[in-house]
């Protein structure tokens, strides 16, 4: 359970860093690219064995990490497009509700326990995610022409979590978790830096020092959010449906508290209802595990 809590904490720090990006006018894409380099470096430093780059493609999970790295960049850009077209609330709901995909995968593919109390907790968690994510000033409905991007964000985010679960269960050795995480971020960095160089050379985009600092601040918690999530998924006493639900709801609760404490954010009645439903969902799932 400690790894799950650490993953939630690291992911919550990511939320805090992104909020600071807005405050200091950080170029998000530049910071994201640097963040992947820092996260990759953290994984390499944490890997106890010598690394032979030539042998990396021979690892059974290598193809999966390349796929994940590509998805990291793709989903980030889709989230940016969705934010511009439909607003931040739509992106937030699409991303958080995607947890239903790895949950369903765990229940059906791994035949995980699907008791009434557990299912009730998962359903409450999904309702809570929606209620907390939607703002009162979001009155505009997503048109049919704009629906594609939120759906792609939903599917892509869910596929990322599901793929991580499948790879760590089927292919990743205990000693290779750091290297596994590092290669995911390395792939994302290679793709991201290629896009950034195109922007610099062809579109005259300027790289600013503050964006590099932002990437450094984001990279370390980003790496550990994945590393500790994989460690939590390896716990034989925690089913993946439980891990993903508690991780998602835990991040949601921490994000709400951080927003209130540090940024004086105001919650609507709907948001508060979602917050308390999130707490109830955790209690339901905790009872199942006790």
């Amino acid at each position: 359970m400690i790894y799950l809590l650490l993953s939630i904490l690291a992911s919550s720090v990511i939320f805090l860093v992104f909020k600071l990006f807005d405050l200091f006018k950080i170029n998000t894409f530049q910071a994201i690219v640097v963040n992947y380099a820092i996260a990759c470096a953290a994984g390499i430093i944490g890997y106890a064995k010598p690394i032979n780059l030539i042998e990396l493609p021979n690892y059974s999970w290598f193809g999966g990490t390349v796929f994940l790295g590509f998805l990291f960049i793709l989903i980030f850009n889709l989230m940016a497009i969705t934010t511009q077209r439909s607003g931040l609330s739509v992106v937030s709901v699409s991303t958080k509700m995607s947890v239903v995909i790895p949950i369903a995968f765990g229940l059906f593919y791994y035949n995980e326990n699907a008791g009434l109390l557990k299912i009730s907790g998962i359903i409450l968690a999904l309702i809570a995610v929606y209620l907390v994510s939607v703002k009162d000033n979001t009155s505009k409905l997503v048109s049919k022409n704009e629906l594609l991007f939120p759906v792609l964000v939903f599917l892509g985010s869910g596929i990322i979590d599901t793929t991580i679960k499948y790879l760590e269960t089927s292919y990743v050795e205990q000693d290779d978790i750091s290297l596994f995480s590092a290669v995911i971020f390395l792939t994302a960095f290679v793709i991201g830096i290629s896009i950034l160089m195109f922007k610099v050379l062809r579109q005259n985009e300027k790289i600013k020092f503050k964006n590099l600092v932002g990437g450094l601040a984001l990279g370390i918690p980003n790496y550990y959010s994945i590393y500790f999530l994989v460690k939590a998924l390896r716990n034989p006493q925690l089913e993946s449906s439980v891990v993903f639900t508690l991780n998602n709801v835990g991040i949601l609760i921490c994000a709400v508290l951080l927003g209130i404490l540090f940024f004086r954010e105001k919650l609507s009645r709907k948001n508060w209802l979602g917050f308390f439903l999130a707490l109830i969902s955790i209690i339901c799932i905790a009872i199942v595990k006790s």
Side-chain angles (χ1 to χ4, degrees):
M1 186 64 75
I2 184 65
Y3 289 122
L4 179 57
L5 293 175
L6 289 172
S7 178
I8 291 171
L9 178 62
S11 298
S12 300
V13 172
I14 292 174
F15 163 81
L16 187 62
V17 172
F18 271 124
K19 296 289 287 187
L20 292 174
F21 279 8
D22 289 334
L23 183 63
F24 292 101
K25 307 301 180 184
I26 301 293
N27 182 300
T28 305
F29 185 77
Q30 290 186 17
I32 286 285
V33 173
V34 176
N35 136 82
Y36 288 141
I38 299 301
C40 175
I44 292 174
I45 292 172
Y47 188 59
K49 302 176 184 178
I51 298 176
N52 188 333
L53 295 178
I54 298 177
E55 293 182 358
L56 278 181
N58 296 329
Y59 284 88
S60 56
W61 44 257
F62 179 79
T65 58
V66 173
F67 174 67
L68 284 171
F70 171 77
L71 275 184
F72 275 25
I73 287 290
L74 176 62
I75 297 306
F76 168 76
N77 283 285
L78 286 174
M79 288 172 66
I81 294 172
T82 306
T83 301
Q84 294 167 1
R85 288 172 173 259
S86 305
L88 187 59
S89 293
V90 175
V91 172
S92 181
V93 172
S94 299
T95 304
K96 292 185 175 70
M97 293 296 286
S98 68
V99 73
V100 72
I101 297 177
I103 288 174
F105 182 76
L107 291 174
F108 293 103
Y109 187 82
Y110 293 109
N111 296 315
E112 295 181 355
N113 174 48
L116 179 61
L117 193 59
K118 178 180 177 181
I119 295 299
S120 298
I122 291 173
I123 292 174
L124 283 175
L126 294 174
I127 295 173
V129 164
Y130 176 79
L131 291 175
V132 172
S133 301
V134 175
K135 304 302 180 183
D136 281 346
N137 58 2
T138 309
S139 58
K140 188 181 84 169
L141 296 176
V142 180
S143 68
K144 290 183 179 179
N145 294 332
E146 295 174 337
L147 188 60
L148 175 63
F149 294 103
V151 170
L152 289 176
V153 170
F154 169 82
L155 292 174
S157 299
I159 290 172
I160 287 174
D161 286 340
T162 303
T163 304
I164 289 174
K165 167 60 183 175
Y166 176 73
L167 290 176
E168 71 84 18
T169 301
S170 305
Y171 300 106
V172 182
E173 299 292 336
Q174 178 69 31
D175 294 339
D176 291 338
I177 294 177
S178 294
L179 184 61
F180 168 73
S181 303
V183 176
I184 294 175
F185 291 117
L186 175 62
T187 303
F189 171 71
V190 171
I191 298 172
I193 196 66
S194 301
I195 297 172
L196 181 58
M197 288 300 99
F198 174 83
K199 289 184 176 183
V200 170
L201 296 176
R202 293 296 182 91
Q203 301 177 4
N204 295 319
E205 181 171 313
K206 304 298 182 182
I207 297 178
K208 297 182 179 180
F209 179 74
K210 67 177 182 179
N211 300 329
L212 305 181
V213 175
L216 175 62
L218 182 63
I220 295 175
N222 194 16
Y223 166 76
Y224 282 107
S225 69
I226 297 295
Y227 175 81
F228 288 130
L229 177 61
V230 173
K231 296 284 282 187
L233 286 168
R234 298 188 77 90
N235 187 337
Q237 297 180 343
L238 290 175
E239 296 177 335
S240 66
S241 55
V242 171
V243 171
F244 283 117
T245 302
L246 293 180
N247 185 65
N248 195 271
V249 175
I251 294 169
L252 180 71
I253 290 174
C254 287
V256 169
L257 294 176
L258 287 172
I260 294 173
L261 291 174
F262 292 99
F263 303 102
R264 297 182 179 178
E265 293 184 351
K266 303 295 183 182
L267 299 183
S268 66
R269 292 181 180 179
K270 187 184 298 184
N271 299 150
W272 277 115
L273 176 59
F275 181 82
F276 288 115
L277 285 179
L279 294 176
I280 294 173
S281 72
I282 289 178
I283 294 172
C284 290
I285 296 172
I287 291 174
V288 173
K289 297 310 297 177
S290 62

